[in-house]
Amino acid sequence: MPDTRLLTFRCPPLPFLVEARRASYEAGEEHPSRTELGMFELIHVRRGALSVTEEDSTWTVEPGQVLLLRPDRPRLGAGACTGETEFDWVHFQFQGEWEETAEGDESTLVGDHYTHTVRLPKLIAGISGQPAAAAFAVLNEAAASADQGAFWARQQSFLDLLRQLEAAGRAGVYRASASAVAEQAAAYMKENYRESVANADLASALGYHAVYIARCMVETFGCTPQQYLLYYRLDRAKLLLLTTDWPIARVAEESGFRQTPHFSRLFAAHAGIPPHRFRKRFTP
């Protein structure tokens, strides 16, 4: 039965790669035991099967599956391989906040307008032939490179791998928690804030009922989807006022507002001063 626990990482900071390799065992060989390695480990089995125990839980990782192991618990080989086994392993570290939760339990780590939470199931299945599987191959190639820019290539490939694994997890491997649904809705609005985003659009994009999405948003962020979208647009407007000399009308349009007077009223109510005075106050 698939493990339904989730590991959540609030970023920034971002997880960073330590090492990545592809390895293989012959029949009869066993995965080595380690005590508190101090690093997270991803194991992706390509061929055969690999049995691993973390504390009191044992998994047999099969082709197309990825197991995520914690840095603070013993890892033990749980039996010899019955046939030739090929797998990718990735060690990474994370200096920020993270936690592990069971399915249905809400994470205490939630993103906002400027941060993101990476949520990875403990065991992800069915990635064979998917972008996540290809990302392991790209990472292994980057990790083996000795080029001058290899560090950047490795880190970029690793972050792309995490992105693909997160997408694989969202694709139905686990039942999304309220906070995960809220953050999916937030991500969609951040990507489409310059367009009209109705609650029906969110429902269609995320595959959940609009009322449920709104409830998750209120529970997680303390505001409805439309309020969240408004706050994000106003934050974008502040940034544009400080970093460009665009007319107020263009700032409004680039921030997702269709009418400049309406934007100015909303901005003044939110910031306490109208857009032109905000610009003058905070720019030379």
Side-chain angles (χ1 to χ4, degrees):
M1 179 179 179
D3 193 289
T4 53
R5 284 175 287 176
L6 296 173
L7 273 75
T8 301
F9 305 82
R10 182 159 58 193
C11 306
L14 291 168
F16 60 93
L17 175 71
V18 176
E19 192 172 10
R21 291 185 185 176
R22 182 166 294 171
S24 62
Y25 295 139
E26 299 293 335
E29 291 188 277
E30 185 174 348
H31 196 56
S33 298
R34 301 182 178 91
T35 302
E36 297 185 12
L37 186 61
M39 295 178 284
F40 293 92
E41 183 173 13
L42 286 165
I43 296 176
H44 166 229
V45 171
R46 302 174 60 83
R47 182 159 45 94
L50 194 62
S51 295
V52 181
T53 294
E54 180 187 76
E55 205 166 58
D56 57 352
S57 298
T58 299
W59 297 268
T60 297
V61 191
E62 299 179 343
Q65 294 184 333
V66 179
L67 177 65
L68 173 56
L69 298 171
R70 297 168 53 130
D72 55 348
R73 289 180 178 173
R75 306 167 195 177
L76 308 174
C81 297
T82 58
E84 186 176 358
T85 298
E86 183 181 35
F87 63 99
D88 302 308
W89 60 264
V90 177
H91 290 162
F92 70 93
Q93 289 185 332
F94 182 65
Q95 302 301 321
E97 296 178 86
W98 67 276
E99 66 181 2
E100 181 178 332
T101 56
E103 182 185 23
D105 291 345
E106 286 298 320
S107 171
T108 62
L109 304 180
V110 177
D112 53 29
H113 290 182
Y114 307 104
T115 63
H116 176 66
T117 48
V118 178
R119 302 183 190 278
L120 298 177
K122 189 80 172 177
L123 184 68
I124 303 175
I127 74 163
S128 294
Q130 300 300 315
F136 273 103
V138 172
L139 176 58
N140 282 323
E141 183 177 348
S145 174
D147 292 346
Q148 185 175 3
F151 169 81
W152 301 108
R154 287 195 298 268
Q155 298 303 324
Q156 183 175 349
S157 297
F158 171 62
L159 293 177
D160 185 61
L161 171 64
L162 291 185
R163 181 174 63 86
Q164 298 295 350
L165 291 177
E166 183 183 40
R170 286 199 306 266
V173 177
Y174 66 92
R175 183 180 65 84
S177 63
S179 56
V181 171
E183 286 173 347
Q184 289 178 46
Y188 180 85
M189 287 186 284
K190 289 178 185 178
E191 185 176 354
N192 298 280
Y193 70 93
R194 294 182 61 190
E195 309 298 329
S196 175
V197 182
N199 288 344
D201 298 322
L202 282 175
S204 176
L206 272 62
Y208 299 102
H209 195 282
V211 174
Y212 177 65
I213 295 173
R215 186 164 66 245
C216 292
M217 290 289 290
V218 171
E219 181 179 328
T220 303
F221 295 114
C223 60
T224 67
Q226 294 307 312
Q227 288 171 330
Y228 185 97
L229 181 61
L230 172 61
Y231 299 152
Y232 186 72
R233 285 171 170 165
L234 290 170
D235 283 340
R236 297 296 302 176
K238 289 179 182 178
L239 179 62
L240 293 176
L241 288 168
L242 297 177
T243 58
T244 73
D245 59 359
W246 292 345
I248 301 301
R250 183 175 178 185
V251 169
E253 182 180 359
E254 294 291 338
S255 302
F257 296 93
R258 296 292 170 262
Q259 297 179 347
T260 304
H262 180 62
F263 160 68
S264 296
R265 287 195 299 271
L266 291 173
F267 189 95
H270 178 70
I273 54 176
H276 68 280
R277 287 179 54 193
F278 179 89
R279 171 178 275 167
K280 288 182 178 179
R281 173 178 293 183
F282 296 105
T283 56

